[in-house]
Amino acid sequence: MANIPNLLGVHALVWVGGWSNEQATEAIKNSKEAGYGLIEIPALDPKSIDVAHTSKTLKEYGMKGACSLGLSFDADINNEDDEIAKRGEARLMDALTVVEQLGGDYLGGVVFSALGKYPKPTTPKAVENATNALRRLAQAASQRGITVGLEPVNRYETNLINTSQQALDMIANIGEKNVVVHLDVYHMNIEEQDLVSPVLAAGSQLGYVHIGASHRGPLGTGNIDFDSFFGALAKINYTGTITFESFSSAVVSPELSSTLGIWRNLWTDNKSMAKSAREYMEAQIVAAHA
Ligand code: MN
């Protein structure tokens, strides 16, 4: 493998649609064999994860684990209703416990709202609920050595944070050091002016990166200007994790696939696809640092 400054990860949904013990073993083993050092495990339902099995298997394969999630509309900190916000916060705290028990140091994603299309803009009271819940989450995470990442996603998946600048503003309002920007080039390609200025704006506050094609299929296809994006990461000397995300109807998660609108079959051979994605990212990182 190339000598690069970043840990490369892969999202579990490249391999499996659920997280039974058999699926966990398969996903962790495949990630290792495709050359990755980290697997990102969806924690939409944190209590369903058998942490003993997962952490044992991660150790066995010498892999790191990170967790990501989006909240649901009935447990959403980005809501005016204090009860609904409280349920969202409880789910975040459960996810934090899972990360801790897996020996991980990262919880990210759409931790600030439900993952899905909101029927209207957010409100000041909902934003206040979200900000206060995230502050308590960050404080609890800090005690456990865990970083919390806010991932701006496109307008059809949240109404709260669609851009890098909105994430930076939220982090300033939270006021805790262990909250970072988590950029995903797939969403940036929809919402940002370009793929460089948001990276430069985030600078040292960029803490996690998702790489995906414009159609969320194999890397090296689609319309995203990866040269510019990896060039920007090199410019800020980004040394954090870079995780590959790709989704196809070939692997279905009952919870996540429909929310993300994964209707098409963009690949079937996930093993060769994930390996070539890892090689593509390595080549980009090497070229950007040359
Ligand atoms: Mn993402």
Side-chain angles (χ1 to χ4, degrees):
M1 263 176 278
N3 182 24
I4 55 168
N6 308 99
L7 177 65
L8 296 185
V10 58
H11 194 280
L13 205 50
V14 166
W15 310 116
V16 293
W19 203 254
S20 67
N21 287 352
E22 292 71 24
Q23 287 169 315
T25 302
E26 182 188 348
I28 292 166
K29 177 173 182 283
N30 287 353
S31 301
K32 180 71 177 184
E33 286 174 0
Y36 292 91
L38 177 143
I39 181 165
E40 185 177 314
I41 302 162
L44 287 90
D45 181 10
K47 287 186 165 151
S48 70
I49 295 173
D50 180 341
V51 285
H53 174 83
T54 298
S55 82
K56 177 172 84 65
T57 310
L58 286 169
K59 275 200 197 93
E60 190 180 327
Y61 286 93
M63 296 283 294
K64 265 186 92 169
C67 286
S68 60
L69 63 86
L71 293 171
S72 53
F73 287 106
D74 62 347
D76 179 10
I77 60 174
N78 174 33
N79 195 298
E80 296 191 337
D81 184 308
D82 292 332
E83 285 307 308
I84 293 172
K86 213 177 274 176
R87 281 203 291 274
E89 186 173 341
R91 190 170 299 166
L92 293 172
M93 293 298 183
D94 287 342
L96 192 64
T97 300
V98 169
V99 175
E100 181 186 26
Q101 290 174 341
L102 294 181
D105 58 15
Y106 187 74
L107 173 65
V110 187
V111 293
F112 47 82
S113 89
L115 181 61
K117 170 97 166 63
Y118 282 78
K120 52 185 171 49
T122 190
T123 63
K125 170 77 163 106
V127 174
E128 188 190 325
N129 280 345
T131 308
N132 291 337
L134 289 170
R135 188 177 302 116
R136 291 187 288 266
L137 176 72
Q139 287 165 352
S142 173
Q143 288 166 7
R144 309 176 198 189
I146 295 169
T147 297
V148 174
L150 309 184
E151 180 182 6
V153 295
N154 73 73
R155 66 192 68 191
Y156 308 109
E157 297 180 27
T158 184
N159 64 359
L160 187 56
I161 300 179
N162 301 132
T163 67
S164 181
Q165 189 57 54
Q166 288 177 307
L168 288 165
D169 293 344
M170 174 60 90
I171 290 169
N173 289 331
I174 294 167
E176 298 293 332
K177 287 194 173 68
N178 61 325
V179 187
V180 297
V181 182
H182 168 152
L183 287 180
D184 180 324
V185 75
Y186 163 82
H187 298 288
M188 292 171 71
N189 186 53
I190 297 170
E191 299 293 351
E192 303 280 6
Q193 299 286 356
D194 61 78
L195 303 181
V196 174
S197 55
V199 175
L200 303 184
S204 62
Q205 289 179 279
L206 182 63
Y208 199 91
V209 168
H210 273 165
I211 292 294
S214 53
H215 46 39
R216 312 201 94 154
L219 278 197
T221 67
N223 64 28
I224 289 177
D225 177 6
F226 284 108
D227 294 357
S228 292
F229 182 71
F230 280 96
L233 294 182
K235 233 174 246 166
I236 64 160
N237 290 311
Y238 177 70
T239 57
T241 301
I242 300 179
T243 293
F244 172 57
E245 280 196 317
S246 183
F247 307 103
S248 166
S249 59
V251 177
V252 175
S253 159
E255 283 184 287
L256 202 48
S257 295
S258 295
T259 305
L260 298 178
I262 309 306
W263 317 130
R264 283 182 292 145
N265 192 345
L266 285 149
W267 41 256
T268 45
D269 182 358
N270 50 10
K271 290 187 178 178
S272 65
M273 194 274 305
K275 181 170 174 285
S276 72
R278 193 257 303 156
E279 290 166 348
Y280 185 89
M281 293 191 290
E282 284 178 351
Q284 282 283 350
I285 295 164
V286 168
H289 284 88

